[in-house]
Amino acid sequence: MDPKGAYGKLVRDRIPEIIREHGAEPVTYTADAEEYRNRLRDKLVEEVAEFLEADDSTAPEELADVLEVVHALASVLGVDVGQLEKIRENKASERGGFAERIVWTGNR
């Protein structure tokens, strides 16, 4: 693989092992910190797109993939899942959540 990251994509940690179990030999490398962060951002876009295309039966699985990437990005930023949840709770307390389905159309 191109160590500058022009090719390939970030995959889950067990994917090379799963590929080997199916009789192929994966070609991989470990991204440096900067590439990893960039590839996680790309992966988030990919997973959100998959979620948006999913039907109701597959949407929960796709949403779990989004959450996995969000957790990895939080870790890169030095924030653990508990801290991330606290930040979410604080924002919800200050600004609310989305449960009331309010759509803003502008001001008068």
Side-chain angles (χ1 to χ4, degrees):
M1 296 300 294
D2 174 13
K4 295 184 187 216
Y7 302 103
K9 70 177 196 171
L10 188 65
V11 295
R12 289 176 176 264
D13 297 340
R14 289 200 56 236
I15 295 302
E17 175 186 338
I18 292 167
I19 291 170
R20 283 185 201 97
E21 289 172 358
H22 287 91
E25 185 56 36
V27 178
T28 66
Y29 68 93
T30 302
D32 65 23
E34 181 181 354
E35 180 183 356
Y36 178 55
R37 185 178 186 149
N38 290 333
R39 288 199 180 262
L40 278 172
R41 289 171 179 260
D42 293 342
K43 182 59 92 172
L44 182 59
V45 171
E46 174 189 332
E47 297 298 350
V48 167
E50 290 176 7
F51 168 74
L52 293 173
E53 293 174 8
D55 60 26
D56 286 354
S57 68
T58 59
E61 185 173 326
E62 299 301 339
L63 195 55
D65 290 343
V66 171
L67 192 56
E68 187 69 33
V69 176
V70 168
H71 286 182
L73 280 164
S75 179
V76 164
L77 295 171
V79 177
D80 69 32
V81 175
Q83 291 171 306
L84 187 62
E85 179 59 16
K86 190 92 162 151
I87 293 166
R88 188 204 63 77
E89 287 172 355
N90 288 340
K91 286 192 85 168
S93 176
E94 291 172 13
R95 300 182 66 106
F98 296 98
E100 294 182 23
R101 301 184 286 186
I102 297 169
V103 177
W104 179 54
T105 60
N107 297 332
R108 296 183 210 258

